[in-house]
Amino acid sequence: MAFDFNQLDHACFMREAIKEAELAMQAGERPIGAVIVHHGKIVGRGKAEHLKKHSRLAHAELNALLSTASDLYDFPHDNGVIYTTLEPCEMCLGAIVMSDVVNHVVFSIADNWINPKLMFEIPHVRRHIHNYIGGILEEESTALWKQCRPDELSLIQKGKQSGV
């Protein structure tokens, strides 16, 4: 059966990413979670673990990619989808592109502070990411940020303003 990105239940998989975000929040981390799906099955999970791992590299998306790295190495790369509760930053988006196992990005909250959409100006990125959609279960993800980091949520939503 051929892979059809549009036939995936994006809300169902985003709920799983939100579960990871809830676990991160309970541990005092930013409420960011991610899951990787291949052929309609979750094959990797990750959550923000900056404090736990004492590393600024412990982003949810990187942790999800690392949790599946060896399993996905031989998979056809055009069937991989990452679901993440916050739009991936440049580092994570770069890792997604370079991993060559995920070609579809689905996120909940757009990050207007970092604004990684600018990376799509790069032809190499456009060749690797076939679908890039946001707003999936945005209210649910936003509610987590409101609980624990409302000031950061405001920055994420409003973006950089003159004088900031």
Side-chain angles (χ1 to χ4, degrees), residues 55-114:
S55 171
R56 296 189 193 276
L57 301 176
H59 290 214
E61 299 88 347
L62 293 181
N63 288 334
L65 284 168
L66 290 169
S67 78
T68 64
S70 61
D71 294 335
L72 289 178
Y73 188 78
D74 293 324
F75 286 176
H77 65 276
D78 61 343
N79 295 334
V81 183
I82 189 163
Y83 290 84
T84 181
T85 58
L86 180 64
E87 185 176 14
C89 69
E90 294 98 330
M91 176 180 69
C92 291
L93 191 53
I96 290 165
V97 168
M98 297 309 294
S99 74
D100 210 25
V101 296
V102 173
N103 284 95
H104 311 277
V105 177
V106 179
F107 58 91
S108 190
I109 302 171
D111 190 339
N112 295 312
W113 176 257
I114 293 177

Side-chain angles (χ1 to χ4, degrees), residues 1-47:
M1 183 169 163
F3 174 77
D4 186 352
F5 173 80
N6 295 313
Q7 292 298 315
L8 293 173
D9 186 344
H10 300 307
C12 173
F13 293 120
M14 188 59 73
R15 280 189 198 92
E16 292 299 315
I18 289 171
K19 287 179 186 177
E20 294 296 318
E22 288 169 339
L23 293 172
M25 183 179 73
Q26 292 166 5
E29 304 277 1
R30 287 185 173 100
I32 305 170
V35 296
I36 296 176
V37 173
H38 188 265
H39 282 296
K41 294 194 309 195
I42 294 174
V43 295
R45 294 176 174 272
K47 58 188 168 293

